Amino acid sequence: MVTSNGSQTPSYNFLIYGKTGWIGGLLGQLCSQQNIPYTYGSGRLESRETLINDINTINPTHVFNAAGVTGRPNVDWCETHKVETIRTNVVGTLTLADVCREKGLVLINYATGCIFEYDEGHPLGSGVGFKEEDSANFIGSFYSKTKAMVEELLKNYENVCTLRVRMPISSDLSNPRNFITKISRYEKVVNIPNSMTILDELLPISIEMAKRNLTGIYNFTNPGCVSHNEVLELYREYIDPTFTWKNFNLEEQAKVIVAPRSNNELDTTKLKTEFPELLSIKESLVKYVFEPNRKTPVAA
């Protein structure tokens, strides 16, 4: 493509896996808005031949993997569907990475940061986050265990960019996958500071990362932490002044879930260095999620 001043701009053609998923759907919308040609892959991740066929047919410049098993309605599903979880999250992801490497393609892989939990070296509230080079220390759920396994193996693929997403949030407050939507519907919530991912801000950054051909692991969250109560206080301030909620502790939570949940802070220095404009989690929540959805009157 030639710009008005005659300079050449690179042309892109994205191949996206995860058409029916939340992130995959949003990626397609972003590509349309940015006039980037894209196609959703029709191949099954665990079927090498179908992936090769997709790539030969579409001839992409970059591949995005937003497919994966998180479980419905939540990760507890994975505890009773272990083979299905392995097939997609481990076998499928590795197969796609391997095919992309063979074809000389960068793979942007939307992974998870729910493979860590606060520990002695990273105490809750300390501001000391887990770094990209840190290995998983949380395998309390089978979902997290498979994600930790595959991240460790993907470190050997120099063509893969692994994005550690956590507790994703978007401006679509009707989406049941949205962390805010989830906790606003729970009978009780824990109250623990966590790193989180504002998709409205970070998904466009992931497209830019592809354009820059960045690879390796990135903590893909907004800088800083926010607690469940702080999120719900913003919800009450901007959306529903009558909203109320109840807290319970981890011991009480354990009685109503099958698998333990990950709580952690991720260090975002690496991502922030590459994208200095990245907003802190609380700023991003207000700008991208709560302000556009405001239902309460603006204070005079």
Side-chain angles (χ1 to χ4, degrees):
M1 187 188 299
V2 179
T3 60
S4 54
N5 63 6
S7 63
Q8 200 76 19
T9 60
S11 55
Y12 299 102
N13 185 24
F14 291 168
L15 171 57
I16 302 169
Y17 288 93
K19 178 180 183 177
T20 59
W22 183 24
I23 287 177
L26 290 174
L27 271 177
Q29 292 173 27
L30 283 170
C31 288
S32 295
Q33 289 163 17
Q34 295 185 25
N35 294 316
I36 297 170
Y38 71 96
T39 308
Y40 283 112
S42 57
R44 301 291 302 166
L45 290 193
E46 65 274 14
S47 170
R48 190 178 188 92
E49 295 74 26
T50 63
L51 300 181
I52 291 169
N53 185 54
D54 278 349
I55 288 171
N56 288 343
T57 304
I58 294 156
N59 194 27
T61 56
H62 299 81
V63 180
F64 292 76
N65 180 30
V69 170
T70 54
R72 295 292 172 93
N74 55 49
V75 294
D76 286 341
W77 180 92
C78 301
E79 302 297 318
T80 52
H81 298 78
K82 292 184 176 178
V83 171
E84 297 96 316
T85 305
I86 291 169
R87 188 180 296 131
T88 302
N89 289 359
V90 182
V91 179
T93 304
L94 289 173
T95 303
L96 181 59
D98 197 60
V99 169
C100 287
R101 184 178 186 272
E102 217 170 58
K103 299 284 186 180
L105 293 167
V106 166
L107 171 64
I108 304 291
N109 183 48
Y110 297 92
T112 183
C114 291
I115 54 174
F116 297 102
E117 62 181 341
Y118 291 116
D119 62 10
E120 282 184 14
H122 311 80
L124 191 155
S126 67
V128 178
F130 290 91
K131 292 187 164 68
E132 280 78 5
E133 54 271 23
D134 290 331
S135 292
N137 73 344
F138 175 79
I139 49 170
S141 68
F142 191 74
Y143 166 80
S144 290
K145 191 182 287 188
T146 63
K147 290 293 197 171
M149 282 178 201
V150 83
E151 181 183 282
E152 199 60 38
L153 292 167
L154 285 176
K155 287 178 182 176
N156 300 291
Y157 284 82
E158 75 286 347
N159 62 309
V160 176
C161 182
T162 292
L163 304 179
R164 290 174 175 164
V165 175
R166 287 210 74 233
M167 297 177 163
I169 291 170
S170 86
S171 54
D172 178 7
L173 295 180
S174 65
N175 191 308
R177 312 296 286 177
N178 191 333
F179 175 76
I180 297 174
T181 312
K182 283 183 181 179
I183 64 170
S184 68
R185 293 175 180 176
Y186 288 162
E187 194 178 328
K188 291 181 179 178
V189 295
V190 293
N191 183 37
I192 301 172
N194 271 284
S195 285
M196 301 186 193
T197 302
I198 307 297
L199 296 176
D200 302 69
E201 180 172 20
L202 282 159
L203 283 188
I205 283 176
S206 68
I207 289 175
E208 181 58 33
M209 293 173 86
K211 292 177 179 179
R212 296 182 191 182
N213 290 316
L214 298 178
T215 56
I217 296 172
Y218 283 84
N219 288 335
F220 202 60
T221 60
N222 290 84
C225 271
V226 66
S227 70
H228 297 65
N229 280 9
E230 286 173 316
V231 171
L232 291 176
E233 281 161 9
L234 286 167
Y235 184 88
R236 183 171 60 194
E237 180 185 342
Y238 283 86
I239 311 297
D240 180 5
T242 66
F243 184 77
T244 59
W245 67 94
K246 292 176 185 169
N247 289 125
F248 61 168
N249 59 33
L250 287 174
E251 291 72 27
E252 292 169 310
Q253 183 196 44
K255 294 173 185 172
V256 297
I257 56 176
V258 177
R261 303 294 195 259
S262 152
N263 292 289
N264 68 58
E265 178 171 357
L266 300 181
D267 184 303
T268 53
T269 305
K270 184 178 178 183
L271 186 65
K272 179 85 172 169
T273 302
E274 190 71 37
F275 298 94
E277 68 276 16
L278 184 61
L279 295 179
S280 72
I281 182 61
K282 290 171 189 173
E283 290 174 311
S284 194
L285 268 170
V286 170
K287 178 177 178 179
Y288 289 99
V289 181
F290 287 114
E291 277 292 358
N293 282 294
R294 182 191 274 278
K295 290 187 168 62
T296 57
V298 180

